[in-house]
Amino acid sequence: MEDIVRHTNLWLLGAILAPLLVVATWYTVAVWQETPSMPFYRNAILAGAALLMLVSGCGLIALMFYSRRKDYDEPVRSNRTPRE
């Protein structure tokens, strides 16, 4: 019985979210088509900024994994005396 309820809830959630996705996609495409196109230099700046953001994000994640593997992370310590 529990399995049936779980699958029913998943189908209900999917039935609610699918039309929302369709409406959001339709609205996004409609607004996108109504706006005038940007000049090439603006597209190039936007692409460069996106690429820079992607590279810096990947670099920070790589540094986090490197730091964790090399045991540079230390546990939190406090110099305070505990309150009584």
Side-chain angles (χ1 to χ4, degrees), residues 2-16:
E2 207 174 289
D3 213 25
I4 295 172
V5 171
R6 184 178 308 137
H7 289 305
T8 304
N9 288 342
L10 286 176
W11 278 104
L12 183 62
L13 181 65
I16 292 171

Side-chain angles (χ1 to χ4, degrees), residues 11-41:
W11 278 104
L12 183 62
L13 181 65
I16 292 171
L17 290 179
L20 287 175
L21 178 64
V22 169
V23 169
T25 304
W26 170 80
Y27 179 74
T28 303
V29 170
V31 169
W32 182 32
Q33 288 178 346
E34 288 181 14
T35 57
S37 63
M38 291 193 307
F40 177 73
Y41 73 93

